[in-house]
Amino acid sequence: MMIKPPASNGKTRRVRKAGLVVFCLGLLLGVLALSLPGLDSGIAHAAELADTGADTATYQPAPKLTAADYPTIKGVNSRIAVWLAAQLHLWFAAFVLAVPIFVFIIEAIGMGTRDKRYDNMAYEFIKVSITAYSFTAILGGLLTFLLVLFYPHLFQYMSSIFKESMFYYALLFFLESATLYLYYYGWHWLQGGFRKWVHLSLGLLLNAVGTLLMFLANAWVTFMMSPAGVDPAGVFSGDAWAAIHNFLWNPINIHRVIANIAYGGSIVGAYAAFKFLSARKSEQRAHYDWMGYNANFIAISALLPLPFAGYYLTAEIYAYSQQMGITLMGGVFAWLFIIQAVLIGTLFLSANYYLWCGMGRSDGAVRYHKYIKYLAIVIVGAFLVWFTPHTLVLTNEELKALGGPYHKYLGPLGIMPAKNTAVNIMILFTTLSFIFYRRANKVATVSWASAGNAIQIALFTAGILNIFFLGVYHGYFTNTVYKVAASIPQVLTTLTIIVTSTAIDAFMYRGAKQVAPLHWGRVSDRSQYALFLLAVAFTWLMGLMGYIRSGIRQHWHVTNVFRDASPDAFTPGLGYAANVVSVGTILFMAMVIFVFWIADVSSRKTAADAYWKTPPA
Amino acid sequence: MKIPRLLQAVGVIVGIYAGFVLVFDYLLGQVIPSSLLSMYMFFVIAGVFMVYTFTEESARELVAPIKALVEDPSKKRIRNVVFILIPLLVAGFTYQRMSPSFEAPVELRSIHPAPPATVKAYGKRYDLATLKNPFRKYEKAKPEKFRELVREGGDIYIQNCQYCHGDKLDGRGPYAAGLNPTPLNFQDVGTIAQLQESFLFWRIATGGPGLPKEAAPWISSMPVWQDFLTEEEIWKVILFLYDYTGRRPRSWEHE
Amino acid sequence: MRNFLKVLCFSLLVIGLFAGYSNYGIPQIEPAPPPVEEKLELGAMTMDKFIALGERLYNGKGTCTLCHNPTGGRAPQLESAATVASERMQDSRYQGTASTVVEYLYESMVEPSAYVVAGFGKAGSNDSESPMPDVSAGGIGLSDAELKAIIAYLQDLAGTDVTVSIPTDAAPAEAEEKTAEPPPAPRAALDTPDALIAKFTCGACHKVAGQVGAIGPDLTTIGATRDKAYLRRSLLDPNADVAEGFMAGMMPNIYGTQMSAAELEMLVDYLAGLK
């Protein structure tokens, strides 16, 4: 990584300068594109003016439907069909949107370090996503068809409100496709100096357009959850920006951007793991090991802040409607969060395991082996606390033995303060795993190394004590108001420790001595399964959370405005939802395998000289 | 002598399992629910596996005895024994899990449901937030009258309640074994000591059928005592419950 | 290929574990089915039934107890809402236009921000804005009659007199639904005036046959001042003559179609005999 760029002479400097200008132009364009929603509202405003001029009563209230208004096809469950299509579309879209984000970053790193390996890796990432891109489009089309087929009134109502954004959404896809193809097919053409800058700008534009597309689609989804710009009967006010900029739009936007990055990282990690397992040559193994490591790094970096984005989203759901918040966290869905805890715990465990296994790449890591078991004890322990449910499932005998359903010692672990404390500890120790991994191969040479170490130890100790104090004191010895309030200083403590200790580490290990060479590719096959576990658990988890995001609307198409009168309006139970999600995950995996296989086939060649006529001399 | 890693790992797992059982069931006296323990152990095993396999040598050492058992010709006898034992164990476990038992299926049911704000009994409406035991004031004002009331409450308890809740108020009356959910143990710190007297009045007066929806299904066999006892009798019984167990009713006021 | 199969089996196993845990590891709770719109039979409603309806709505469709409960502290308790209403209307922070308790309670449900009980406002609004939704709209969507039933329940809960009246005109949508239903089987004729008065709940509004309604005219000595023709006309077309001091349009215009001729004559005879 530390390869010095070649000394630049006057010419390259000039070229780079020109490149920078193009890059900045690209940045400007990106910002412009991002501000398009504003533009959109302008257009909507104009459209509204035109409307009011011609006819004021253009907008109808949300229709009141009966079961007969929903077309059916024999043998097809319309709700499950739409559910699967939407979920598959979302999985692919998340992947396709995420990959350009970190391809852009990796390409930039490659440009900064002039390390060709980064460029090759970025290219391979984008290559994987290109087939996935067409799958996204196909599934999006399928979803639209299914909606028009099975829920025509809903689709008509939605499109009457979002007519502008849907129209520009469709048009934007031309720009997205053009940029993506240019970015991918022009990769080898746009190399070196100025051209590389142009290429990087294309990457930025690609990301800007992709993000904008997602934001628009998010607006439709969040409108269904927290409608704005319509009156209680569902009559649209004509202000498209109000409908787009509804209450949950921004929380979902933030949550999805971060989650997409983590998800994209995990899928690419699975790809690298598979290539690693099937690689025959040692340099191939080294390459895919390195790629898998980087993908995992991206996934984990995005995973760490994700719980906080989730808290923000939940808080906003509560703020929008207490009723929706209580539906989300209590009653029927309460057990969903136990499943979620199990899944997220699985993600953390497998990510840590991958890091520990990765220490085998260096002989210097032996120094840290003895600490791993303590990390494991704390992480598993925190995880056990995290998924201890509030309501325990007891057999009758246990009920009798306990004298009631309340457990004196496990009961307190079931409530939020304990869980907040546990998740913060888990995040901190995952960070510690990563710090150990980074140090495995190095010995700090700076004069203040021991002082730096002491500071870091003090920082972690103080932070953990603070988190414990906040959790235990505010959680159990003050009233309810403080219970929830304590989670914010806890999160701030965690973030402070992560940022500070990473910064100290970066300075301390600048110019550090390598203990032993780092052998990329010297890692067990077992560790690669941790990457698969990460990808599968992530996919399944996204499916589950998709179900609850949609499920908390209960029997409404558009919350409190447009009632779902179809026979499928009921809220499905958790087992039912888990089965649909599992089927969806398997379908998605099958498609992803096809995508990976296609990416592989494109580089294969079969020599069939005897087949073709030899051209006449 | 170095303990083989496989044995170490198994030892750690068994140790943690025994530790959970020991700590919860014996030291703390609160059994750990089997559903939770099995989930705990699943992830403990995963964690132990992670620690014991993250380096190549350690993983190899861990698997070596298993590999040897399967491949080493000299271990033929023990291999045959293990290969017969394992399917038998699995079969036995499966049989045990699948065979129908007389145990009622597990139900989620909250036994201390949130009380309603008001309750209708004796044709009147009571506000549970402000409802007070009319006899409580005698405790300080007229101790001898209070003792008399408590004694009357004790008589009413023995005549009506002890069959299920027990003559020691510990929930182990003669009929207790036949009931599910079990009759409440008033001696326990988690029952009446956590509740206001008005809550008890509500639960006694309206019984099992008076439970709110969140406590469904209505399988509580607590009778609707307003059909059998007078209002005053219920208040006297409540006095007796607190007096006999030596607990204080919960109160939101500072004393 | 071997690797592929291994990875495939591994992934399927993981998915199977997740699905298995979700199906068997946790208790399966069946979410409540979507609520069914309840039809109100206002014609045959006594005040007790109306209060009971209000209680049902309060605990059920109205979702009031989600926040108005003693444990959450999200919203004020409503046991004494009907008694404190008059103080609230005098309060300087009161923004609404209500002048009676019924109006105040009605307003508090459709325009919750008119008066926000101290400490229960939206965060940061300094108690000027209520977090409560308009319960007549949106997801809760209580009808006018349902709101009145809840007011009746709240007044009963507070132990005050129930001053809200049972609305008589059902919503037009419900009327349409009623006509679409098959005609009910003819009921057996009632043979005493008392049974008739009980059946058609005359006592809910009138003082008659031991009942003490106060919405319509007192009928205990009606025979002394009115003749049979007048009484018959009043039953068949209540708005033809409206007694002084009472509003037109209060009495339902249904008795001509719902009573048989014999019953009508029996009732007219009975009323004319009250002197």
Side-chain angles (χ1 to χ4, degrees):
Chain A
M1 187 172 154
M2 287 295 139
I3 299 171
K4 285 242 157 63
S8 48
N9 56 30
K11 192 187 167 213
T12 53
R13 200 176 295 146
R14 215 166 33 246
V15 169
R16 280 173 83 174
K17 210 170 172 185
L20 199 64
V21 170
V22 171
F23 181 76
C24 290
L25 271 175
L27 205 66
L28 200 71
L29 208 68
V31 171
L32 252 178
L34 270 174
S35 62
L36 239 174
L39 211 78
D40 204 77
S41 88
I43 295 160
H45 191 63
E48 180 203 0
L49 283 181
D51 277 347
T52 43
D55 176 19
T56 42
T58 337
Y59 298 108
Q60 299 295 317
K64 291 209 185 330
L65 303 180
T66 61
D69 291 320
Y70 294 87
T72 51
I73 295 177
K74 210 170 176 203
V76 180
N77 182 318
S78 48
R79 188 234 286 249
I80 291 182
V82 170
W83 184 347
L84 284 177
Q87 191 57 59
L88 284 166
H89 174 63
L90 194 93
W91 276 321
F92 272 106
F95 175 61
V96 164
L97 285 177
V99 170
I101 296 177
F102 50 79
V103 162
F104 172 77
I105 296 168
I106 294 170
E107 190 186 8
I109 292 174
M111 283 169 71
T113 58
R114 291 296 164 91
D115 187 341
K116 185 81 168 73
R117 285 186 304 164
Y118 284 101
D119 208 54
N120 291 343
M121 181 165 69
Y123 180 68
E124 194 157 2
F125 280 171
I126 201 83
K127 181 171 150 191
V128 173
S129 85
I130 205 106
T131 330
Y133 180 70
S134 58
F135 262 103
T136 315
I138 294 168
L139 287 164
L142 179 69
L143 174 61
T144 316
F145 266 120
L146 289 179
L147 279 175
V148 172
L149 257 177
F150 291 120
Y151 296 90
H153 297 279
L154 171 65
F155 197 81
Q156 200 209 346
Y157 179 69
M158 292 294 288
S159 55
S160 75
I161 292 172
F162 290 104
K163 50 186 187 298
E164 293 90 6
S165 57
M166 283 183 176
F167 179 70
Y168 292 112
Y169 181 84
L171 287 188
L172 266 178
F173 255 101
F174 282 105
L175 188 57
E176 170 82 358
S177 304
T179 329
L180 179 63
Y181 291 139
L182 201 57
Y183 189 62
Y184 172 65
Y185 290 106
W187 196 285
H188 300 300
W189 171 51
L190 293 169
Q191 283 285 352
F194 176 76
R195 288 180 171 200
K196 194 67 189 162
W197 279 101
V198 173
H199 191 255
L200 192 68
S201 312
L202 271 177
L204 188 71
L205 181 65
L206 177 64
N207 276 309
V209 177
T211 311
L212 177 64
L213 280 170
M214 182 182 76
F215 284 1
L216 283 179
N218 285 354
W220 311 332
V221 164
T222 50
F223 173 82
M224 291 170 74
M225 294 175 75
S226 58
V230 291
D231 72 1
V235 180
F236 181 42
S237 70
D239 184 356
W241 176 239
I244 290 173
H245 189 236
N246 60 62
F247 206 89
L248 295 178
W249 188 50
N250 274 324
I252 289 259
N253 284 343
I254 292 172
H255 194 71
R256 280 193 168 169
V257 167
I258 299 176
N260 282 355
I261 296 173
Y263 184 59
S266 78
I267 296 292
V268 172
Y271 169 77
F274 186 71
K275 296 289 268 187
F276 175 86
L277 290 179
S278 9
R280 305 245 177 276
K281 291 190 208 119
S282 66
E283 60 265 33
Q284 262 189 339
R285 280 172 76 89
H287 174 70
Y288 287 113
D289 183 21
W290 185 68
M291 183 170 171
Y293 168 76
N294 279 295
N296 182 59
F297 177 69
I298 291 163
I300 298 307
S301 312
L303 183 63
L304 293 185
L306 199 53
F308 307 134
Y311 276 129
Y312 171 56
L313 174 59
T314 314
E316 291 296 304
I317 289 177
Y318 262 99
Y320 166 69
S321 154
Q322 254 177 9
Q323 201 188 353
M324 197 182 254
I326 296 171
T327 310
L328 174 74
M329 296 302 291
V332 180
F333 290 118
W335 281 96
L336 183 135
F337 286 90
I338 296 298
I339 305 180
Q340 190 213 23
V342 168
L343 281 155
I344 293 180
T346 310
L347 292 181
F348 272 102
L349 287 180
S350 59
N352 274 294
Y353 185 63
Y354 181 77
L355 281 176
W356 301 341
C357 285
M359 285 181 156
R361 292 179 191 123
S362 156
D363 294 323
V366 185
R367 295 172 296 155
Y368 289 98
H369 281 176
K370 56 178 178 290
Y371 300 119
I372 298 296
K373 51 179 170 293
Y374 303 113
L375 290 183
I377 289 169
V378 173
I379 292 172
V380 172
F383 178 37
L384 294 191
V385 170
W386 203 29
F387 78 75
T388 304
H390 192 187
T391 313
L392 297 166
V393 182
L394 301 165
T395 62
N396 292 314
E397 239 153 72
E398 286 159 356
L399 253 179
K400 275 187 186 166
L402 288 172
Y406 181 77
H407 198 292
K408 234 188 278 180
Y409 306 102
L410 290 172
L413 296 186
I415 58 172
M416 269 332 261
K419 301 198 183 307
N420 282 336
T421 309
V423 78
N424 277 294
I425 300 280
M426 213 149 93
I427 290 175
L428 273 186
F429 274 77
T430 305
T431 315
L432 210 56
S433 276
F434 183 67
I435 290 179
F436 283 171
Y437 174 83
R438 270 179 49 103
R439 290 181 169 198
N441 197 34
K442 295 173 186 165
V443 170
T445 50
V446 289
S447 54
W448 48 277
S450 54
N453 262 331
I455 292 173
Q456 279 187 324
I457 291 171
L459 195 68
F460 267 92
T461 319
I464 289 165
L465 285 179
N466 189 35
I467 288 171
F468 259 110
F469 168 76
L470 288 168
V472 174
Y473 178 72
H474 285 294
Y476 299 102
F477 298 100
T478 54
N479 64 36
T480 325
V481 185
Y482 300 105
K483 267 179 199 162
V484 189
S487 67
I488 294 163
Q490 278 183 330
V491 168
L492 289 180
T493 312
T494 306
L495 289 180
T496 314
I497 294 176
I498 293 178
V499 171
T500 325
S501 67
T502 314
I504 294 177
D505 232 46
F507 281 113
M508 214 158 91
Y509 282 82
R510 185 172 276 180
K513 194 174 82 202
Q514 290 221 334
V515 178
L518 201 59
H519 301 282
W520 285 110
R522 200 177 78 178
V523 68
S524 62
D525 285 1
R526 251 186 341 277
S527 65
Q528 304 302 307
Y529 283 89
L531 291 181
F532 290 121
L533 180 57
L534 204 65
V536 173
F538 230 120
T539 310
W540 206 87
L541 180 59
M542 268 176 78
L544 187 77
M545 298 326 274
Y547 149 70
I548 190 173
R549 190 208 44 72
S550 188
I552 52 174
R553 278 179 295 142
Q554 298 195 303
H555 53 278
W556 295 94
H557 285 315
V558 178
T559 310
N560 293 347
V561 167
F562 188 172
R563 191 174 160 135
D564 182 352
S566 68
D568 291 323
F570 66 93
T571 309
L574 277 178
Y576 180 101
N579 295 341
V580 176
V581 169
S582 298
V583 170
T585 309
I586 292 170
L587 286 177
F588 175 71
M589 271 173 44
M591 290 181 190
V592 164
I593 288 168
F594 178 77
V595 166
F596 288 174
W597 181 68
I598 284 289
D600 193 47
V601 162
S602 71
S603 58
R604 280 189 210 166
K605 280 197 175 73
T606 307
D609 295 335
Y611 179 78
W612 302 108
K613 277 197 284 194
T614 30
Chain B
M1 193 202 114
K2 195 168 177 280
I3 310 163
R5 291 188 79 83
L6 183 62
L7 220 58
Q8 271 184 34
V10 173
V12 169
I13 292 166
V14 172
I16 293 175
Y17 180 84
F20 272 128
V21 174
L22 187 73
V23 167
F24 280 100
D25 294 11
Y26 296 99
L27 292 182
L28 297 177
Q30 292 256 297
V31 292
I32 180 163
S34 58
S35 59
L36 189 67
L37 185 60
S38 55
M39 272 313 281
Y40 275 7
M41 287 318 293
F42 183 86
F43 285 101
V44 165
I45 292 170
V48 170
F49 172 82
M50 279 162 50
V51 170
Y52 276 88
T53 61
F54 77 90
T55 62
E56 204 54 29
E57 316 82 70
S58 165
R60 225 174 290 128
E61 265 186 67
L62 187 77
V63 195
I66 301 172
K67 248 188 168 159
L69 180 76
V70 179
E71 291 171 355
D72 193 345
S74 69
K75 296 203 165 131
K76 192 174 173 197
R77 184 167 299 160
I78 183 166
R79 170 163 64 234
N80 287 341
V81 171
V82 169
F83 277 18
I84 290 168
L85 266 183
I86 287 181
L88 279 180
L89 278 176
V90 172
F93 178 75
T94 312
Y95 175 77
Q96 225 191 355
R97 292 303 293 263
M98 301 308 284
S99 69
S101 76
F102 297 107
E103 172 123 4
V106 174
E107 264 162 1
L108 268 189
R109 174 169 177 286
S110 100
I111 304 258
H112 281 175
T118 64
V119 57
K120 240 181 184 161
Y122 299 108
K124 283 183 277 183
R125 189 173 279 283
Y126 296 91
D127 181 347
L128 286 184
T130 55
L131 183 63
K132 286 208 166 61
N133 191 334
F135 301 130
R136 183 58 70 187
K137 57 179 183 254
Y138 296 122
E139 191 173 8
K140 284 203 180 102
K142 286 187 193 162
E144 63 289 351
K145 167 141 198 199
F146 186 74
R147 297 304 332 151
E148 177 62 20
L149 289 167
V150 168
R151 205 189 51 72
E152 286 172 35
D155 288 348
I156 298 161
Y157 181 88
I158 294 298
Q159 283 160 17
N160 297 286
C161 317
Q162 63 94 12
Y163 304 104
C164 301
H165 289 285
D167 52 3
K168 290 192 169 62
L169 279 63
D170 54 0
R172 291 175 196 270
Y175 295 158
L179 298 178
N180 172 32
T182 51
L184 218 54
N185 168 8
F186 300 128
Q187 301 280 9
D188 187 274
V189 70
T191 60
I192 56 172
Q194 301 291 327
L195 301 168
Q196 289 172 281
E197 290 183 293
S198 59
F199 188 98
L200 269 71
F201 180 79
W202 165 53
R203 297 299 314 114
I204 295 171
T206 62
L211 285 167
K213 207 166 193 165
E214 61 179 287
W218 286 346
I219 52 172
S220 163
S221 38
M222 180 83 171
V224 183
W225 286 106
Q226 59 170 318
D227 298 344
F228 308 104
L229 298 176
T230 66
E231 202 181 331
E232 295 196 337
E233 284 173 325
I234 291 182
W235 286 122
K236 285 180 202 165
V237 168
I238 293 173
L239 287 186
F240 170 73
L241 292 183
Y242 283 105
D243 186 77
Y244 188 88
T245 55
R247 308 263 181 223
R248 297 292 308 165
R250 189 169 189 157
S251 163
W252 301 111
E253 293 152 21
H254 298 284
E255 290 189 10
Chain C
M1 199 60 197
R2 217 176 123 209
N3 273 320
F4 176 73
L5 287 177
K6 268 160 98 178
V7 170
L8 197 69
C9 287
F10 176 77
S11 307
L12 288 177
L13 181 77
V14 170
I15 294 174
L17 277 178
F18 291 153
Y21 180 63
S22 310
N23 278 292
Y24 305 107
I26 58 157
Q28 294 298 305
I29 303 170
E30 205 56 45
V36 186
E37 309 274 324
E38 204 175 334
K39 268 183 221 137
L40 298 180
E41 302 267 339
L42 292 167
M45 181 84 53
T46 62
M47 189 45 87
D48 275 349
K49 280 190 189 159
F50 197 53
I51 291 169
L53 168 71
E55 182 170 8
R56 265 207 316 284
L57 291 167
Y58 184 82
N59 292 311
K61 184 182 172 193
T63 64
C64 315
T65 47
L66 206 58
C67 299
H68 293 282
N69 64 44
T71 46
R74 296 189 191 97
Q77 293 291 92
L78 299 180
E79 287 79 68
S80 54
T83 43
V84 298
S86 41
E87 287 169 39
R88 295 278 163 75
M89 286 182 282
Q90 306 298 322
D91 197 299
S92 59
R93 293 198 300 118
Y94 178 64
Q95 308 279 330
T97 54
S99 54
T100 67
V101 172
V102 172
E103 279 172 19
Y104 173 82
L105 291 174
Y106 192 92
E107 184 182 63
S108 71
M109 288 191 276
V110 298
E111 221 178 289
S113 295
Y115 181 87
V116 182
V117 179
F120 292 107
K122 262 191 186 168
S125 72
N126 195 22
D127 289 340
S128 64
E129 203 182 326
S130 169
M132 175 167 155
D134 172 1
V135 295
S136 69
I140 304 171
L142 296 176
S143 70
D144 191 60
E146 288 171 326
L147 288 174
K148 286 190 171 141
I150 290 179
I151 294 174
Y153 169 65
L154 289 176
Q155 288 191 315
D156 180 61
L157 190 64
T160 61
D161 288 338
V162 179
T163 52
V164 66
S165 54
I166 304 175
T168 44
D169 46 340
E174 280 165 23
E176 271 171 35
E177 276 168 37
K178 269 180 193 147
T179 51
E181 282 169 10
R187 70 188 155 80
L190 297 165
D191 48 13
T192 65
D194 282 345
L196 259 180
I197 288 169
K199 163 79 185 166
F200 289 100
T201 61
C202 312
C205 299
H206 295 284
K207 190 169 180 186
V208 64
Q211 286 163 304
V212 287
I215 294 164
D218 183 346
L219 303 181
T220 45
T221 56
I222 192 75
T225 53
R226 303 281 190 248
D227 61 13
K228 283 190 184 181
Y230 178 93
L231 291 169
R232 194 178 296 116
R233 191 167 65 242
S234 294
L235 280 163
L236 292 172
D237 182 7
N239 295 328
D241 305 285
V242 178
E244 205 178 318
F246 295 94
M247 264 166 58
M250 294 296 287
M251 181 158 157
N253 193 0
I254 54 171
Y255 302 110
T257 52
Q258 294 197 354
M259 281 183 198
S260 70
E263 287 172 334
L264 182 73
E265 281 312 309
M266 181 171 64
L267 190 60
V268 169
D269 285 343
Y270 169 75
L271 290 173
L274 294 173
K275 286 178 182 171

